[in-house]
Amino acid sequence: IDLTQPLDRDTAAALNRAFVEHAVLVVRGQSLQPRDFLAVAKQFGTPVRQHLEQFNIPDCPDVSTISNQEKTKTGKINVRGVSWHTDHSFTPEPPKATMLYSVALPDTGGNTHWAHMGAAYEALSPDLRTRVDGLSAVHAYTDSRVPPDLDERKREAAEDVTDGVAHPLARTHPDSGGKAIYLNPLRVRRFLGMAPEDCSGLIGDLVAHATQPEFTYTHRWQLGDMVIWDNRCCMHKADTDYDFNQIRLMYRIILAGDKPF
Ligand code: OGA
Ligand code: MN
């Protein structure tokens, strides 16, 4: 398939069905400019402007970048996406999908991993599934790239931090009807009605369960790969196991989503 060419209706429908069925699609050997990539994205949904505006491509701002050259205000390298998460879960209507197109890659390493949270949900023990079914999680943005530890959760509970949005921990996929564990260890601050120590324990247990090899896929990037994944039923993370003198750069698009239910 050549994604610079308009997709006919049957092909676009087949790709969308494959996306719902498989959650991660990889299309290799593409040669896309930001504008081509944006046109591809519109075959899957509605691209939305990304909130870290400094990374948006000036003459095509609905396409953003993610790279290993990003720095904090103090000049420290700050790579996004290196710990298990799902994108933008701190918003009331998190994006249904994220798309990456590889522009520059290190010689080796820098793989991306996905965990299928629908498969992980189906494999929960009946007791744990009942527990997950009854919980809501409060998600909030911080600029941290690592999950909060138990001390931080206790401090937040003591300070009665109330900002953030609550989403069900067991989420129903609007297109497939299947349920998935909707967890973002980076942004979930607490579960409603649960003590901080129990929150940390449950998150740890669910991540350990969901990231077992049978629920995960690891992508070894080649230049020209286009990947789209379903944020409603996947967590993902990137490896940082390579020489940071080599540039790793992706174009990035997110697609509008619905309020989780
Ligand atoms: C992202 C992300 C992982 C990667 O774009 O949301 O987490 O492999 N990317 O760069
Ligand atoms: Mn991400």
Side-chain angles (χ1 to χ4, degrees):
I1 192 166
D2 175 0
L3 293 174
T4 63
Q5 300 305 309
L7 297 177
D8 63 65
R9 237 210 267 177
D10 287 352
T11 307
L15 286 173
N16 275 282
R17 276 197 306 275
F19 168 71
V20 172
E21 188 176 346
H22 298 286
V24 182
L25 295 189
V26 176
V27 185
R28 296 214 117 142
Q30 300 302 303
S31 176
L32 305 179
Q33 295 301 313
R35 241 164 261 288
D36 303 317
F37 188 30
L38 188 59
V40 176
K42 288 177 180 167
Q43 301 286 343
F44 289 96
T46 307
V48 287
R49 201 60 67 84
Q50 298 176 50
H51 72 131
L52 300 173
E53 282 174 13
Q54 66 272 33
F55 302 125
N56 294 350
I57 294 175
D59 63 356
C60 195
D62 288 333
V63 182
S64 180
T65 60
I66 182 165
S67 92
N68 64 347
Q69 308 296 304
E70 294 169 13
K71 299 199 170 74
T72 61
K73 286 189 202 84
T74 57
K76 245 185 87 209
I77 290 273
N78 182 36
V79 185
R80 290 179 282 155
V82 301
S83 159
W84 287 109
H85 68 285
T86 184
D87 290 334
H88 305 266
S89 68
F90 51 88
T91 58
E93 297 182 346
K96 77 167 191 176
T98 303
M99 305 173 71
L100 293 181
Y101 172 73
S102 57
V103 179
L105 293 172
D107 293 339
T108 58
N111 296 341
T112 307
H113 308 267
W114 285 268
H116 197 300
M117 304 304 281
Y121 176 87
E122 293 302 325
L124 288 171
S125 68
D127 281 357
L128 195 49
R129 194 189 296 194
T130 304
R131 199 161 164 227
V132 164
D133 279 337
L135 284 171
S136 286
V138 176
H139 300 240
Y141 184 74
T142 68
D143 54 17
S144 170
R145 304 280 171 233
V146 292
D149 61 13
L150 181 55
D151 283 346
E152 201 172 335
R153 289 190 197 286
K154 282 186 175 155
R155 196 162 54 243
E156 287 185 1
E159 288 166 5
D160 195 20
V161 175
T162 51
D163 62 348
V165 298
H167 294 309
L169 180 58
R171 157 169 207 189
T172 304
H173 195 289
D175 299 324
S176 74
K179 277 181 141 186
I181 307 168
Y182 189 58
L183 182 63
N184 185 350
L186 279 179
R187 303 289 172 244
V188 167
R189 315 312 298 179
R190 60 202 167 91
F191 295 114
L192 293 177
M194 195 186 271
E197 36 281 347
D198 297 340
C199 292
S200 278
L202 182 59
I203 292 172
D205 290 350
L206 291 175
V207 171
H209 168 73
T211 59
Q212 296 177 87
E214 60 264 45
F215 307 129
T216 61
Y217 166 67
T218 296
H219 188 60
R220 288 174 185 75
W221 289 92
Q222 294 177 6
L223 285 178
D225 284 352
M226 198 286 295
V227 178
I228 176 171
W229 69 85
D230 194 327
N231 281 311
R232 300 165 294 190
C233 61
C234 289
M235 292 198 299
H236 60 281
K237 71 165 184 178
D239 287 342
T240 52
D241 57 342
Y242 55 89
D243 176 2
F244 270 64
N245 293 313
Q246 300 186 342
I247 294 177
R248 182 181 188 274
L249 171 68
M250 314 276 183
Y251 293 153
R252 182 176 192 265
I253 295 175
I254 57 176
L255 300 180
D258 307 314
K259 182 175 154 56
F261 60 90

